[in-house]
Amino acid sequence: MNGLGLVKGLALTFKHFFSTYVADIFGGKNSIRRRGTIDADGLFTIQYPEESVVIPEEFRVIPFLVYTLGEDGQRKYRCTACGICSKVCPTQCIWITRMKDPETGKPITSSQEFYIDVDKCMNCGTCAEFCPFDAIKMDHDYRIASYTRGETHIYPKPQLGKPLEYYAKIRPLNYAVEEAERAAKAQPRQ
Amino acid sequence: MTDQPGLDPTYSDLLNEFPQAVELEARPGFTGVVVLTSALIDVMTYLRDRKGYDYLSSVTAVDDFPEDKLEIVYLLFKTTGGGIIELKVFTQRDEPVVPSITPLYQGAEFQEREVWDLYGVKFTGHPDLRRLLLWEGFSGHPLRKDWKEPFYEEEVKPFKTRWPEGKGVRSENLNPFKDNVQYPRDFDPNTYEPDADRSVYKLLESQIPAETGDFKVDHLVVNIGPQHPSTHGVFRMAALLEGEKVLALKPVIGYLHRNHEKIGERNTFVQNMPFTDRMDYLSSMSNNFGYAITVEKLLGVKPPERAEYLRVMMAELTRIASHTMAIGFLLNDLGAFFTPSLYALEERELILDIFESVAGSRMMCNYFRFGGVVRDIPEETLKSVKKLVEDRLPRKVDDLDRYLTDNEIVRVRCEGIGVLTAEEAIAYSASGPILRASGVPYDIRKVDPYSIYDRLEFDVCYRQHGDVYDRYLVRLDEIRQSLRILKQVINQIPEGPIMTGKVQYMVKVPAGEAYGRVEGPRGELGFYVVSDGKPNPKRYHVRAPSMINTTSLEKMCVGGKIADAVTILGAVDVVLGEVDR
Amino acid sequence: MEANQDLYKPGYEIPEELRQQVTITTLERIYNWGRSNSMWPMMFGLACCAIEMICTAASRYDFSRFGMEVMRPSPRQADVMIVAGTVTKKMLPQIVRLYNQMSLPKYVLAMGACACGGGPFKEGYNVVPGIDTYIPVDVYVTGCPPTPQGLLNGLLTLQKKIKMEQMKETGWYSKEPVVEVPIPILGPDVYDPRKSDLIYTETHKPEVLSTEESTMEGESK
């Protein structure tokens, strides 16, 4: 019959509309938290600046360099300037200058300068995947809007550095696994 | 020579039939036969008419620089199933000329234009040999090995300037124009006359029929796109209209040509993986899958069992996400502005959540590696996949089905529109839902099974009419079949490792060539990779299903109304990242 | 009144008893507040980022909560152009033409690494290294692609920028005619008409070029 398909379609839309209220009335306290998830019925919206979608641990944006704070307040980066991340980077957006001993001129396992061009970075996570020292990791901070570009979009080393505690906070499971591995490696020597 | 073990009998038949013109490929790691240029048409006709190789999968070229040689590679299949036949034609690099096979296989039209555009090979007898991805007037043929792009740094990655003496420098600062441009030495911008699409308009105007009788008819050229809400990106159709009737229609593509293949040849094998994500950006897992199995063919590694299950799980979730979106946007094009899309996008969001927790990114997953996958699926995520597949998605697909399938407007607008018969669909090398909606049950998961698809139960969905409505129904059926596959995968997934060996960032790929293909959501997604033993591929070609499906767009649209052209494009479901690469 | 805290700052002391009854603000502020909460984006997608833009418009993130619900495919009716995706040379003339066709006040948000500065495909021969070389950009949102929340954050950043604008300084009430951005031309490579003198001098200096080519190959031709 003509018009039946139309009515059916409208019925579905109305069902969707009213199921929000049904879920709110019968869903109890958690009904709002369920919005935008697999259990959602009806309204699906997450009110972004006030609440945000739960970010999974593996989520990746721009890489950052892990450091620990030394006793004198100096940042001790884990990076040894081995250059694997800059070699494996698909877009070649990582620049590393290896530090040299000021007296002998021989290279030291530390980076003097470290740049990432965020305008080229494709957030693929390859650098973090292949880093043998767990020194470069993928960040969770997606709020990176800016008014200018220019040189500010080539992040230098101080801007890239983030403390180890931050890493442990955003990726607790990965951090636990890596720490366990480190402990296992350190064991035989003692 | 002719009874080599393991050789496809067709090759020996070819060698017997054309003893003068055909010889077996001798290089180790390479397969197929080399055909003399003069005999190409005869060999192709023989293969098509006598041997049943009716499906031209891919035409591409390989540059053998510094040798003075260009190879044109043809890959053929039977739609009834079976192995590949690979033909090669050698031609010299300066002024290469090869006979066109477009009169035999219409599906070669765009691919030959692409080869002309990027390699400068002239195809004699081609009906319309213009540049495809770049514009008329562009200087040079960029995929040639000796052609350098303006931001050229080094021949291959990794670049030596990055480590150990790397300083953050933009490429713009190295170029005198402060931009990604270069000009011929005698270029004078003040006197230059640009082509400005004159070639397209001329071609369209040549299709205006001669006036008959006293009744005067006006003809109108209309450009739809590149910025148009219903072209799904930056696609452009230049149409010649008589009233509302389409007399001729030329797709103009290349507005998103991102030089995937040129960059792919500079990259190492591992570096190409995240680039494949960005090709068909609605189904990155499928692209990863295709590239991974191609390089695995060259490497000779096999992923462990759990990884195979994870791969199939991700590929099928991608198919559901892509098809729901395709259905939603088809309805958008019909005028049901955004309501069905919103419902479709809700389900897609939930699937993207799974990708995000497994791979780390919603769209650009970068999840596959040669010999496995990056990381295991978390227990929590597996549970939500299960819930999604067993409870939510079937319900929502039924909703969508109830809502749309019997709707009068959908039926009136879709039935009998954009018809492609089975013979035409095969001749135009259409693949995926387009081919199957025309009554050809050709699904690579069934006819040439890869991964674990030979162990899974599912049906090939196909319909008989070949119109827009059938393409919609095939997509709907495929979602249901994907759910069926996913249920089996979730129940059977074994424990175990997810990687064969350790992931290496410099993979040693032995010299040779491989063509791997998967059934992506849009059709046969093939990767043709040639390695010469170095860390970078010598040739990296993508057989993009969307692009080859657009070859038949003119055929489907001509004779119909202009409003239907939009619907037909929606049903072809192009993704411009893949069309233009 | 609680919700409009940013509106309710006239810059001088208001008596306590009045505070609950009326809202006092400056004309500037209410004008910008109105404008920033009815930004209509242009329905204009280029590549992968466009899909995330659609997701931002769709039900889960729903940018109509910020008055952006009406995505207009026509540049005449749009206020903000979200350049979502890789800008190729072939597409560039169309983008500049669309920008010129937008009516004032107009804003540009470069979404994704590609639109900001070339992105992963920057080294390609058909890719423009950042749309800001051709048209002015107000907000850059990097990421490849930025998640819908990242884009929303960028749009809120744009709203903040609009709220800081002053009527005196805005260009759209001045009597001067609006200067259009010249549309690039597709020649042997895309070229900006503003740069034609530079191009002429660079392509017509044979001696320097030939030595340069031998030392720093491929950098210029």
Side-chain angles (χ1 to χ4, degrees):
Chain A
M1 195 189 91
N2 267 359
L4 197 66
L6 207 73
V7 173
K8 267 188 190 168
L10 284 173
L12 186 86
T13 322
F14 274 107
K15 193 183 125 206
H16 202 84
F17 177 69
F18 284 114
S19 54
T20 310
Y21 298 104
V22 175
D24 276 1
I25 292 166
F26 298 103
K29 270 183 191 168
N30 289 328
S31 65
I32 289 177
R33 204 165 299 151
R34 278 213 299 268
R35 278 178 191 168
T37 67
I38 207 159
D39 303 311
D41 235 356
L43 193 64
F44 204 68
T45 310
I46 288 168
Q47 311 282 337
Y48 161 63
E50 286 82 28
E51 53 173 353
S52 64
V53 179
V54 182
I55 292 173
E57 184 170 338
E58 295 300 339
F59 181 68
R60 45 187 153 84
V61 190
I62 306 285
F64 67 92
L65 294 173
V66 180
Y67 68 78
T68 46
L69 274 183
E71 278 160 15
D72 49 351
Q74 284 277 318
R75 288 179 175 189
K76 280 165 76 180
Y77 287 91
R78 279 182 174 179
C79 177
T80 60
C82 66
I84 288 178
C85 52
S86 75
K87 280 180 211 153
V88 80
C89 175
T91 59
Q92 297 287 300
C93 68
I94 301 178
W95 285 266
I96 304 170
T97 309
R98 197 161 48 184
M99 199 182 276
K100 277 183 182 153
D101 195 310
E103 287 165 18
T104 57
K106 278 185 183 162
I108 314 175
T109 56
S110 179
S111 58
Q112 178 94 40
E113 288 164 62
F114 199 108
Y115 300 99
I116 291 180
D117 187 348
V118 293
D119 280 346
K120 279 177 92 177
C121 177
M122 69 206 288
N123 313 153
C124 63
T126 320
C127 49
E129 188 187 332
F130 288 103
C131 179
F133 303 100
D134 300 325
I136 188 164
K137 291 288 166 195
M138 303 307 282
D139 205 347
H140 276 188
D141 188 13
Y142 52 82
R143 297 178 201 87
I144 39 176
S146 60
Y147 293 127
T148 53
R149 182 166 78 94
E151 296 303 312
T152 55
H153 272 203
I154 295 186
Y155 287 5
K157 196 172 172 184
Q159 199 177 347
L160 287 169
K162 298 220 167 149
L164 184 64
E165 292 74 39
Y166 175 74
Y167 172 56
K169 201 183 103 202
I170 62 168
R171 287 170 194 265
L173 293 177
N174 277 330
Y175 175 73
V177 170
E178 282 161 16
E179 286 304 305
E181 274 175 16
R182 269 160 196 277
K185 257 185 204 168
Q187 207 71 43
R189 276 189 217 159
Q190 284 171 0
Chain B
M1 189 77 178
T2 47
D3 335 297
Q4 229 173 15
L7 196 71
D8 196 311
T10 315
Y11 285 131
S12 20
D13 289 350
L14 263 181
L15 290 168
N16 291 334
E17 189 76 17
F18 302 95
Q20 306 290 313
V22 176
E23 56 180 298
L24 272 183
E25 174 77 82
R27 291 173 288 179
F30 287 77
T31 50
V33 287
V34 180
V35 182
L36 282 187
T37 319
S38 52
L40 178 70
I41 298 292
D42 291 340
V43 171
M44 284 285 189
T45 319
Y46 171 78
L47 279 173
R48 189 188 68 162
D49 297 341
R50 304 265 301 280
K51 287 287 165 194
Y53 282 89
D54 48 358
Y55 191 78
L56 176 85
S57 171
S58 180
V59 180
T60 184
V62 181
D63 186 6
D64 281 336
F65 186 76
E67 279 177 74
D68 181 27
K69 214 166 62 177
L70 266 174
E71 302 167 24
I72 316 293
V73 183
Y74 301 90
L75 307 174
L76 297 165
F77 289 98
K78 286 180 192 169
T79 42
T80 47
I84 186 172
I85 285 288
E86 194 176 340
L87 301 180
K88 277 179 202 147
V89 172
F90 288 114
T91 174
Q92 81 279 15
R93 284 184 88 247
D94 48 318
E95 299 227 359
V97 181
V98 172
S100 165
I101 58 160
T102 307
L104 286 172
Y105 296 95
Q106 281 88 332
E109 187 187 341
F110 276 23
Q111 303 187 56
E112 284 186 338
R113 275 177 68 188
E114 189 193 353
V115 173
W116 154 246
D117 189 356
L118 303 179
Y119 280 98
V121 180
K122 272 219 159 68
F123 291 92
T124 48
H126 190 284
D128 171 27
L129 197 64
R130 285 177 294 124
R131 280 186 185 266
L132 182 72
L133 298 174
L134 295 159
W135 57 91
E136 291 295 322
F138 186 82
S139 71
H141 298 285
L143 269 187
R144 291 189 168 216
K145 290 276 181 195
D146 53 348
W147 194 91
K148 305 270 198 302
E149 57 267 42
F151 277 175
Y152 173 82
E153 287 187 55
E154 278 167 55
E155 199 56 51
V156 289
K157 288 176 189 173
F159 297 147
K160 291 184 186 67
T161 51
R162 300 295 193 266
W163 177 86
E165 292 291 321
K167 301 268 181 235
V169 196
R170 279 174 204 283
S171 317
E172 287 96 314
N173 299 340
L174 302 171
N175 190 300
F177 304 108
K178 306 267 178 234
D179 214 344
N180 190 6
V181 288
Q182 63 187 4
Y183 304 100
R185 290 278 283 279
D186 52 351
F187 174 63
D188 185 354
N190 300 318
T191 56
Y192 181 79
E193 251 327 282
D195 173 76
D197 286 337
R198 263 181 223 124
S199 48
V200 185
Y201 299 133
K202 216 190 243 170
L203 194 73
L204 283 174
E205 274 154 20
S206 70
Q207 309 265 339
I208 296 178
E211 268 181 51
T212 49
D214 315 327
F215 196 65
K216 202 169 170 340
V217 184
D218 262 353
H219 294 90
L220 187 69
V221 173
V222 172
N223 276 303
I224 308 178
Q227 192 262 337
H228 190 276
S230 62
T231 54
H232 298 224
V234 284
F235 190 78
R236 175 176 159 209
M237 299 185 275
L240 178 74
L241 302 184
E242 184 187 286
E244 270 195 73
K245 200 172 134 205
V246 180
L247 289 186
L249 181 138
K250 297 283 169 205
V252 184
I253 62 176
Y255 291 100
L256 192 54
H257 178 46
R258 298 193 280 195
N259 335 113
H260 192 79
E261 292 178 7
K262 183 86 179 172
I263 294 173
E265 283 163 25
R266 299 233 189 279
N267 283 351
T268 62
F269 283 93
V270 175
Q271 285 173 347
N272 265 337
M273 191 60 86
F275 277 99
T276 60
D277 291 335
R278 282 148 183 85
M279 196 176 58
D280 176 354
Y281 39 73
L282 287 181
S283 47
S284 64
M285 289 285 195
S286 283
N287 304 346
N288 281 189
F289 204 167
Y291 182 58
I293 64 167
T294 310
V295 180
E296 278 163 11
K297 266 186 190 173
L298 279 171
L299 286 168
V301 295
K302 216 180 141 13
E305 199 72 343
R306 188 173 170 87
E308 294 274 30
Y309 275 90
L310 284 174
R311 284 178 170 196
V312 170
M313 185 194 288
M314 295 305 152
E316 294 305 319
L317 281 173
T318 303
R319 194 184 315 277
I320 295 171
S322 175
H323 279 348
T324 45
M325 191 131 169
I327 292 171
F329 279 82
L330 172 67
L331 266 289
N332 250 10
D333 295 345
L334 288 177
F337 197 69
F338 246 87
T339 312
S341 308
L342 286 179
Y343 291 147
L345 280 166
E346 272 182 22
E347 306 318 308
R348 183 173 177 268
E349 283 289 331
L350 295 173
I351 294 174
L352 294 192
D353 276 355
I354 289 163
F355 292 164
E356 198 173 23
S357 71
V358 173
S361 181
R362 289 156 50 86
M363 283 165 70
M364 307 305 169
C365 302
N366 187 18
Y367 183 55
F368 290 43
R369 291 288 175 274
F370 312 131
V373 293
V374 175
R375 61 182 74 79
D376 209 340
I377 186 167
E379 200 58 38
E380 199 89 331
T381 314
L382 195 60
K383 265 186 210 148
S384 61
V385 177
K386 199 169 170 145
K387 201 167 177 187
L388 200 61
V389 166
E390 286 179 352
D391 176 38
R392 186 171 169 117
L393 282 176
R395 203 153 37 92
K396 294 288 171 178
V397 172
D398 287 348
D399 263 357
L400 213 61
D401 188 3
R402 256 204 308 280
Y403 178 26
L404 303 174
T405 309
D406 283 331
N407 189 300
E408 296 86 358
I409 302 169
V410 174
R411 294 191 76 132
V412 170
R413 285 293 306 274
C414 292
E415 278 177 340
I417 302 296
V419 177
L420 210 59
T421 63
E423 292 76 33
E424 284 165 352
I426 294 169
Y428 277 103
S429 298
S431 57
I434 309 280
L435 185 64
R436 288 194 286 276
S438 297
V440 186
Y442 185 71
D443 188 319
I444 295 161
R445 293 174 293 173
K446 267 280 194 278
V447 298
D448 186 9
Y450 52 95
S451 194
I452 52 162
Y453 279 110
D454 47 350
R455 280 182 260 157
L456 297 168
E457 268 180 42
F458 65 99
D459 298 326
V460 176
C461 319
Y462 67 104
R463 300 265 166 170
Q464 299 299 338
H465 300 98
D467 55 3
V468 171
Y469 191 61
D470 275 8
R471 283 169 208 147
Y472 155 73
L473 288 177
V474 165
R475 291 211 169 89
L476 206 59
D477 291 345
E478 277 188 14
I479 295 177
R480 295 213 168 100
Q481 293 300 327
S482 289
L483 287 171
R484 196 172 147 197
I485 294 174
L486 278 169
K487 273 178 202 157
Q488 298 170 45
V489 167
I490 292 167
N491 290 330
Q492 294 170 13
I493 186 165
E495 290 297 320
I498 48 152
M499 212 36 225
T500 307
K502 204 176 175 304
V503 200
Q504 285 165 327
Y505 66 91
M506 281 290 184
V507 192
K508 261 260 169 279
V509 179
E513 62 174 352
Y515 180 71
R517 52 180 192 155
V518 293
E519 183 68 38
R522 276 160 201 83
E524 177 186 336
L525 175 68
F527 285 82
Y528 176 72
V529 177
V530 182
S531 162
D532 49 1
K534 295 199 185 103
N536 311 70
K538 178 181 166 192
R539 177 79 178 106
Y540 165 76
H541 173 70
V542 187
R543 187 230 186 252
S546 303
M547 178 195 130
I548 295 167
N549 286 348
T550 48
T551 319
S552 55
L553 190 67
E554 183 176 10
K555 173 81 194 159
M556 289 191 264
C557 291
V558 167
K561 298 275 187 281
I562 184 70
D564 292 336
V566 170
T567 319
I568 293 166
L569 183 71
V572 173
D573 186 23
V574 288
V575 167
L576 269 295
E578 193 181 61
V579 174
D580 300 339
R581 279 159 293 145
Chain C
M1 224 168 280
E2 285 297 315
N4 297 335
Q5 275 306 321
D6 52 337
L7 200 65
Y8 189 58
K9 284 179 207 142
Y12 49 83
E13 202 59 39
I14 305 161
E16 190 65 39
E17 62 271 23
L18 263 180
R19 231 175 249 188
Q20 301 302 320
Q21 312 295 323
V22 289
T23 299
I24 299 172
T25 186
T26 58
L27 183 64
E28 193 117 81
R29 205 165 278 134
I30 199 162
Y31 171 75
N32 284 338
W33 174 79
R35 268 189 329 121
S36 68
N37 283 309
S38 63
M39 303 290 295
W40 288 5
M42 188 153 82
M43 198 177 198
F44 171 56
L46 291 169
C48 338
C49 290
I51 307 297
E52 289 295 57
M53 183 175 78
I54 292 167
C55 287
T56 317
S59 40
R60 196 185 209 176
Y61 300 99
D62 191 14
F63 61 26
S64 53
R65 294 180 290 126
F66 306 104
M68 297 177 184
E69 64 264 60
V70 202
M71 281 188 111
R72 299 268 92 174
S74 164
R76 299 283 186 208
Q77 302 162 345
D79 300 305
V80 54
M81 181 183 196
I82 301 177
V83 184
T86 316
V87 182
T88 61
K89 290 177 188 170
K90 195 171 178 178
M91 190 65 198
L92 182 64
Q94 278 81 341
I95 295 174
V96 175
R97 191 173 295 144
L98 286 169
Y99 175 77
N100 283 338
Q101 286 174 356
M102 283 169 74
S103 49
L104 286 169
K106 54 186 168 187
Y107 300 92
V108 177
L109 186 141
M111 177 188 181
C114 292
C116 289
F121 298 93
K122 184 174 179 177
E123 63 202 276
Y125 48 84
N126 194 24
V127 175
V128 176
I131 187 67
D132 55 356
T133 40
Y134 292 91
I135 57 174
V137 175
D138 295 282
V139 173
Y140 299 88
V141 186
T142 52
C144 190
T147 56
Q149 298 192 11
L151 176 63
L152 280 179
N153 179 53
L155 288 167
L156 293 180
T157 316
L158 180 65
Q159 286 193 339
K160 253 179 233 158
K161 177 171 183 162
I162 295 167
K163 281 179 186 153
M164 286 186 297
E165 278 180 342
Q166 295 196 333
M167 265 199 263
K168 277 181 284 187
E169 293 164 13
T170 48
W172 50 91
Y173 291 122
S174 72
K175 286 181 183 133
E176 311 282 305
V178 179
V179 184
E180 291 200 339
V181 181
I183 294 169
I185 299 161
L186 294 175
D189 207 326
V190 73
Y191 66 90
D192 193 340
R194 289 172 294 191
K195 282 187 187 168
S196 43
D197 290 340
L198 171 76
I199 293 166
Y200 187 84
T201 48
E202 283 290 334
T203 48
H204 287 77
K205 48 174 191 182
E207 293 97 50
V208 186
L209 260 172
S210 59
T211 52
E212 228 176 55
E213 247 176 357
S214 59
T215 51
M216 304 162 79
E217 50 172 326
E219 193 189 294
S220 57
K221 258 176 222 153

